[in-house]
Amino acid sequence: MHQIEEMIGTSPAMRAVVELVRKVAKTDLPVLITGETGTGKELTARAIHEQSLRKQGPFVPINCGAIPETLLESELFGHEQGAFTGAVQRKKGRLEGAARGTLLLDEVGDLLSSLQVKLLRFLQEGTFERVGGQETLHVDARIIGATNVDLKAAIERNRFREDLYYRLGVLQIHLPPLRERGEDTLLMAMRFLRYAADSNRKAIWGYTSEALQAMRSYHWPGNVRELSNRVRRAVIIAEEREITPHDLGLTHETAQEEGDSLNSLRVAQRRIEVELIVKGISLHHGNLTRVARDLDVSRTTLYRKLREYNLQCLVPPSHPTSVPLPSEFPIEKRSLADHSIL
Ligand SMILES: Nc1ncnc2c1ncn2[C@@H]1O[C@H](COP(=O)(O)OP(=O)(O)OP(=O)(O)O)[C@@H](O)[C@H]1O
Ligand SMILES: [Mg+2]
């Protein structure tokens, strides 16, 4: 499955991101992906790579903040034999490893200034030297940078070069925090739940109303990663068929009052639809016939909505508009039919 298909999100903010990913994937220009921790920067970088003409080539991530400064230069650009104590043989760096592919410089804001200069030269001329090397090398690698720090502020503090910022950030993609993604939180919560429940073989279909409320009002500092972790843990510890705020570790103290900013009618309508569908699925343990009846829509309409909101994982795989027989389901989907009243 392509990464872009794994990116869940139907909120206007995320649709704009998906659209940008498609556009930037067509070029070879550097991209800068910004966003708080856990918002999906690496996932987005992989999606760009997979949508690009370089998709047959390697995708090489390197975390500039996690590698000791002394090693980073040789890790990134490689070294020649004898370049430093311990350099017993020539070694290619990650940049060369990304030839004909994409290099993701994660936490690019942590690059030392000497390496910023070297990276800038690579971005401008496509050339570099290995540590201890005289030979000028050329590599065809696309550079994507990712950061969760404000690089503009880092420039002000002389921690990041302005010229590098403009080179690297020709194309920028900002990933909004989860708390600004409207209905996406519940859509993701539902997808993560289905996945975790299936892999743990637990018959859990949804969330209590309190859990939905808690997820909606929590501020999600760890964003999508935190949501995914909380749901996975909740599935393991849940004792009922629905996940409670307690299972999610979301208590009253963690909730925050929702702001009273006005939403457009369309945005509000989507939020309400998603919430009602998720509630219905939780209440009827995945029996879509009952959900449709409760929501007073046809099953066709319900299936269409589920597809629209990327909840296909809840729709029986075949005969989407007729009632499938239990035997038509693959094993992992059979529990859907187990609850069928028809
Ligand atoms: N839109 C999305 N749909 C589905 N899963 C997502 C989405 N965004 C992020 N995730 C998942 O959330 C987790 C965190 O994503 P990722 O590692 O890409 O975030 P990040 O921004 O690079 O985080 P960090 O700043 O901490 O490095 C991953 O498991 C990823 O698959
Ligand atoms: Mg990351």
Side-chain angles (χ1 to χ4, degrees):
M1 183 187 276
H2 288 298
Q3 294 288 339
I4 201 151
E5 287 164 3
E6 288 177 17
M7 280 179 77
I8 309 166
T10 65
S11 62
M14 282 311 286
R15 281 178 196 226
V17 167
V18 169
E19 192 48 38
L20 253 179
V21 165
R22 285 191 204 285
K23 286 184 182 156
V24 308
K26 292 196 188 116
T27 79
D28 254 347
L29 290 168
V31 186
L32 180 64
I33 305 174
T34 59
E36 290 179 10
T37 181
T39 45
K41 295 185 292 297
E42 180 156 353
L43 188 70
T44 304
R46 285 181 190 275
I48 293 171
H49 174 74
E50 285 187 11
Q51 295 281 305
S52 75
L53 290 172
R54 300 174 170 271
K55 63 175 179 256
Q56 308 294 352
F59 175 85
V60 180
I62 177 167
N63 189 328
C64 306
I67 296 174
E69 289 169 359
T70 46
L71 286 183
L72 189 57
E73 183 174 7
S74 101
E75 201 51 47
L76 200 49
F77 296 101
H79 63 247
E80 296 294 336
Q81 184 179 8
F84 48 84
T85 326
V88 286
Q89 57 186 27
R90 166 189 280 180
K91 183 173 168 271
K92 286 185 179 175
R94 305 267 181 108
L95 182 57
E96 284 177 81
R100 289 177 303 283
T102 306
L103 179 73
L104 168 63
L105 295 169
D106 212 347
E107 297 184 32
V108 67
D110 286 351
L111 272 186
L112 281 185
S113 70
S114 59
L115 290 188
Q116 290 181 27
V117 175
K118 213 162 163 171
L119 175 62
L120 179 63
R121 183 177 141 214
F122 178 74
L123 289 173
Q124 282 172 335
E125 297 161 21
T127 58
F128 67 99
E129 283 94 32
R130 297 192 190 110
V131 178
Q134 305 296 323
E135 192 191 350
T136 298
L137 303 167
H138 296 256
V139 169
D140 167 28
R142 187 197 199 161
I143 303 291
I144 300 183
T147 179
N148 55 27
V149 299
D150 180 359
L151 287 183
K152 285 257 174 68
I155 293 170
E156 299 272 298
R157 284 184 280 111
N158 290 324
R159 295 286 306 275
F160 203 80
R161 295 180 64 103
E162 193 167 12
D163 45 7
L164 177 58
Y165 175 78
Y166 287 113
R167 266 285 159 177
L168 194 58
V170 180
L171 300 170
Q172 287 204 21
I173 298 183
H174 178 69
L175 296 172
L178 186 58
R179 61 188 164 278
E180 288 173 13
R181 295 193 203 173
E183 72 269 14
D184 286 356
T185 306
L186 293 191
L187 293 178
M188 286 193 216
M190 216 50 194
R191 282 271 292 268
F192 295 152
L193 169 64
R194 236 7 299 128
Y195 185 75
D198 285 348
S199 44
N200 288 287
R201 295 173 192 281
K202 289 190 84 167
I204 298 176
W205 277 98
Y207 299 89
T208 62
S209 300
E210 295 76 24
L212 294 180
Q213 171 61 35
M215 285 195 284
R216 217 178 30 213
S217 51
Y218 182 53
H219 58 292
W220 300 110
N223 295 292
V224 186
R225 182 181 296 111
E226 181 180 5
L227 174 64
S228 155
N229 288 343
R230 281 187 190 271
V231 171
R232 269 190 295 171
R233 197 177 49 215
V235 166
I236 290 164
I237 63 171
E239 290 178 351
E240 305 293 331
R241 276 179 162 194
E242 280 134 47
I243 286 177
T244 65
H246 178 260
D247 298 331
L248 288 165
L250 294 179
T251 53
H252 292 304
E253 300 89 75
T254 51
Q256 279 189 350
E257 283 303 306
E258 271 183 281
D260 54 3
S261 63
L262 264 181
N263 274 323
S264 75
L265 263 185
R266 239 178 99 76
V267 169
Q269 183 187 340
R270 292 174 65 84
R271 262 188 183 222
I272 291 168
E273 275 185 10
V274 168
E275 187 164 337
L276 287 176
I277 291 171
V278 170
K279 269 188 181 161
I281 290 166
S282 306
L283 186 69
H284 293 300
H285 306 132
N287 181 326
L288 298 184
T289 306
R290 290 187 185 173
V291 176
R293 201 179 49 200
D294 256 16
L295 295 178
D296 201 15
V297 291
S298 66
R299 268 175 305 137
T300 317
T301 303
L302 179 60
Y303 289 171
R304 186 168 48 76
K305 289 282 171 199
L306 289 173
R307 291 217 168 76
E308 184 184 331
Y309 291 126
N310 239 316
L311 289 174
Q312 294 96 320
C313 56
L314 298 165
V315 179
S318 54
H319 308 293
T321 52
S322 62
V323 185
L325 297 168
S327 60
E328 291 181 77
F329 288 108
I331 298 299
E332 71 274 13
K333 300 277 180 191
R334 185 156 300 158
S335 41
L336 248 184
D338 286 344
H339 301 288
S340 175
I341 53 165
L342 293 166

